[in-house]
Amino acid sequence: MNIDAYRFKPPKPNYLPHNVEVDEVVAEYNVPMAPADDRENAVFYNKMKRAAQEFNITRPKGYTVSYHANPEMEKHHFGQTHPMKPWRLTLTKSLVSAYGMPFAMDNYNTRAATYEELNSFHASDYLDYLASAPAEDMPRDIDNPDKEVKFNLGGSDCPLFHGLYDYCSMSAGGSLDAARKICNKQSDIAIAWGGGLHHAKRSEASGFCYINDIVVAVLQLLRCFPRVLYIDIDVHHGDGVEEAFFSTDRVMTVSFHKYAPEVFFPGTGGLDDNGPKSEHNPGAHHAINVPLNDGITDEQYEHLFQTIIGKINEVFRPSAIALQCGADSLAGDRLGRFNLQVQGHAACVEFCKKLNIPMIMFGGGGYTPRNVARAWAFETSIAIDAHKKIDPIIPQHTPWRERFIHDTLFPTLEQILGEPRANRNTQKRLQEIVQHVHEQLRFVTHAPSVQSQIIPPDLGGIRDDVEDRLREENAEKDEELRKMREEGLGTPMEL
């Protein structure tokens, strides 16, 4: 009997405070951004239109892509020295827009999730504290690392910053809206880069994550789809999502991550961690973990991903996919230690898209904003089938173009790192991982029965009340939207 498999493993800190004076990476993003005026917006809009025409950006044939975002999220700040920078969403939006991609998608300015919607997963006492705890300018554990914090809120990892509850609600609102568009068949691929916060537990913040928007969204998917496959390509283990669906056979969680339990957060997700140990628990063998070492390359990662996900798709037969695209697995990330480039990261998205299964693409980690924006913009282009059309050179009219340092979507490892990190992933070890996963899948029943499972309660009544009120407030914008659609941009023309 393996005693270690049952032993509690406390998570390692994800982040410790940095010296502000020498923290040049963060200092770049400290200057507040002034909003653009109407004239500047009009000029940029015309440049977007020209880019869409130049790159032949049109709506994909046979399926619909939707983009879900709330610009108010971008204004929040975790603290001067904190690695998480919501401004990465601004950079992502600037790239996506500069290429004219919005014309090929349904674009939704999403509302914040309500308390009741968050309560579909999170405990009431946790939400009450999250909503009422006053902001603190200095994390409590800087002077005293052992100082106790309630619900893990207020420390260096999860500080109590200004507007915290609003930020969390908006993040969850985008992901929930994406899930509803998938459920209503209004969208086949829904993108929510503001979500993907996979570490949050039911009653605890963890690893920069306060609300687990992924769990809230997957609960929505389970109201309409019998089986959901959750895939996580963040550099950290997707522990919060795995824990939430630990005892069900309706959700299979698959996490590709760095695994070094003594030194790397969260210290979970070993190869043998495959769900409940009891074979009588429906969740047994439904948690697949792919633990990796520093320095894995595009070629290794892509082969591993396609081999494992291809087999899981064959056995589990998911009816929907939730794909967490954490960009901290990219080379040059402030916390990650892989040699992945945008091309290798995006290959995972392309493979999932080819499965032709309804899919949500979430954001996640990523602490070097320019690299995050590159990856998520290129993966947006894959979703709309424009990745072979766009120019790898970042358009000249891209806002904050100078922040990307290199003018391409695909900087080389030498440009990013100077010298690639040592690759500690041997071929023998990767083969052992594949063999282990295949062995676990032998115990997974094809297309598991769901008749005896509890279907999450429907929050439709609450949703309708909120959205009716917002629809009235936004009625004036309908005329603008109608005029834009009549221009015909993004519509494939007949030859």
Side-chain angles (χ1 to χ4, degrees):
M1 178 177 175
N2 182 5
I3 300 297
D4 284 341
Y6 295 88
R7 185 172 293 150
F8 172 70
K9 301 172 185 175
K12 301 295 177 183
N14 198 22
Y15 157 69
L16 294 174
H18 292 255
N19 185 328
V20 180
E21 293 180 5
V22 299
D23 198 349
E24 297 178 3
V25 175
V26 178
E28 289 182 24
Y29 308 104
N30 276 342
V31 180
M33 296 178 293
D37 59 33
D38 290 343
R39 185 191 64 81
E40 290 172 319
N41 285 332
V43 169
F44 181 67
Y45 180 75
N46 285 327
K47 290 178 178 178
M48 279 175 57
K49 291 199 306 189
R50 285 198 292 273
Q53 292 162 346
E54 177 186 348
F55 299 124
N56 192 26
I57 302 294
T58 59
R59 287 178 173 266
K61 293 182 179 179
Y63 66 97
T64 301
V65 179
S66 58
Y67 196 91
H68 306 260
N70 189 325
E72 294 299 312
M73 281 187 69
E74 303 165 24
K75 301 177 182 178
H76 288 78
H77 199 275
F78 278 58
Q80 187 174 353
T81 66
H82 200 285
M84 177 62 91
K85 301 295 174 189
W87 189 59
R88 64 200 183 134
L89 298 174
T90 308
L91 272 188
T92 301
K93 180 175 68 178
S94 77
L95 263 186
V96 169
S97 300
Y99 278 107
M101 295 185 209
F103 294 112
M105 303 182 284
D106 292 334
N107 301 281
Y108 296 99
N109 189 341
T110 59
R111 64 169 175 82
T114 65
Y115 180 95
E116 292 81 5
E117 288 167 338
L118 300 179
N119 197 208
S120 65
F121 172 61
H122 290 284
S124 298
D125 56 345
Y126 173 67
L127 291 176
D128 292 341
Y129 186 78
L130 190 67
S132 60
E136 298 176 356
D137 293 328
M138 186 69 68
R140 300 177 191 178
D141 56 356
I142 286 183
D143 296 327
N144 182 3
D146 298 321
K147 189 167 184 179
E148 186 177 346
V149 291
K150 191 173 183 180
F151 299 116
N152 198 32
L153 292 167
S156 298
D157 263 22
C158 299
L160 289 165
F161 60 86
H162 294 271
L164 171 59
Y165 185 80
D166 289 341
Y167 176 85
C168 297
S169 302
M170 287 186 281
S171 170
S175 299
L176 188 55
D177 189 50
R180 284 178 171 144
K181 294 300 185 292
I182 294 287
C183 287
N184 295 339
K185 302 191 185 324
Q186 291 175 259
S187 180
D188 299 290
I189 299 176
I191 301 171
W193 294 135
L197 305 178
H198 58 169
H199 293 306
K201 312 299 193 298
R202 183 173 181 269
S203 298
E204 181 183 302
S206 177
F208 315 164
C209 305
Y210 302 82
I211 291 292
N212 202 315
D213 62 283
I214 300 171
V215 173
V216 173
V218 170
L219 286 173
Q220 173 63 37
L221 292 178
L222 290 173
R223 295 181 179 112
C224 304
F225 298 98
R227 291 174 304 285
V228 176
L229 173 60
Y230 171 69
I231 307 171
D232 191 315
I233 57 174
D234 195 287
V235 78
H236 300 96
H237 176 224
D239 57 338
V241 183
E242 179 182 298
E243 181 181 303
F245 298 109
F246 199 66
S247 295
T248 178
D249 60 356
R250 293 189 61 195
V251 179
M252 178 169 281
T253 61
V254 189
S255 179
F256 297 76
H257 53 268
K258 174 177 174 175
Y259 182 66
E262 298 305 318
V263 296
F264 196 72
F265 181 88
T268 54
L271 186 61
D272 294 327
D273 296 332
N274 299 121
K277 301 303 175 184
S278 171
E279 296 294 333
H280 299 292
N281 191 312
H285 311 290
H286 281 71
I288 302 297
N289 283 299
V290 183
L292 304 168
N293 295 320
D294 289 352
I296 193 166
T297 64
D298 278 4
E299 294 76 16
Q300 288 177 317
Y301 200 93
E302 186 176 345
H303 175 74
L304 197 62
F305 185 90
Q306 294 184 5
T307 302
I308 289 174
I309 297 302
K311 186 64 175 178
I312 287 172
N313 179 57
E314 176 189 324
V315 174
F316 184 62
R317 290 186 243 172
S319 39
I321 292 175
L323 175 60
Q324 197 264 22
C325 303
D328 47 7
S329 46
L330 291 170
D333 187 79
R334 193 173 173 196
L335 299 184
R337 293 293 181 270
F338 289 169
N339 284 329
L340 281 189
Q341 296 175 261
V342 169
Q343 298 95 312
H345 196 269
C348 301
V349 174
E350 188 171 6
F351 183 78
C352 289
K353 178 176 176 285
K354 288 178 179 176
L355 297 176
N356 293 318
I357 298 170
M359 176 170 67
I360 303 177
M361 293 163 55
F362 300 93
Y367 308 103
T368 303
R370 57 182 175 271
N371 293 343
V372 177
R374 283 186 173 97
W376 290 352
F378 186 62
E379 286 160 6
T380 301
S381 76
I382 289 174
I384 60 174
D385 205 21
H387 54 296
K388 295 178 181 176
K389 301 177 183 178
I390 61 175
D391 191 335
I393 301 300
I394 295 172
Q396 290 292 333
H397 61 272
T398 304
W400 304 290
R401 189 177 188 269
E402 70 282 359
R403 297 292 190 179
F404 290 95
I405 300 180
H406 305 294
D407 65 357
T408 174
L409 286 177
F410 311 119
T412 64
L413 283 178
E414 288 71 24
Q415 288 175 313
I416 298 168
L417 295 173
E419 185 176 337
R421 298 186 183 279
N423 186 357
R424 305 188 186 283
N425 299 273
T426 64
Q427 199 58 36
K428 181 174 180 287
R429 177 57 177 165
L430 297 182
Q431 288 172 353
E432 289 173 354
I433 291 173
V434 171
Q435 289 171 1
H436 177 85
V437 171
H438 283 204
E439 180 65 22
Q440 290 299 314
L441 293 175
R442 288 180 56 240
F443 298 97
V444 174
T445 306
H446 282 264
S449 170
V450 297
Q451 280 82 357
S452 62
Q453 299 293 334
I454 298 173
I455 297 175
D458 187 12
L459 299 175
I462 298 169
R463 179 198 66 199
D464 292 344
D465 290 344
V466 174
E467 294 187 353
D468 284 346
R469 175 173 53 80
L470 291 175
R471 197 173 294 112
E472 291 176 10
E473 294 173 3
N474 293 331
E476 295 176 5
K477 299 178 182 177
D478 289 348
E479 183 66 14
E480 258 180 64
L481 187 62
R482 182 188 64 78
K483 289 178 181 177
M484 188 177 75
R485 284 175 176 164
E486 285 180 356
E487 292 185 37
L489 281 164
T491 305
M493 305 302 290
E494 294 183 10
L495 295 175

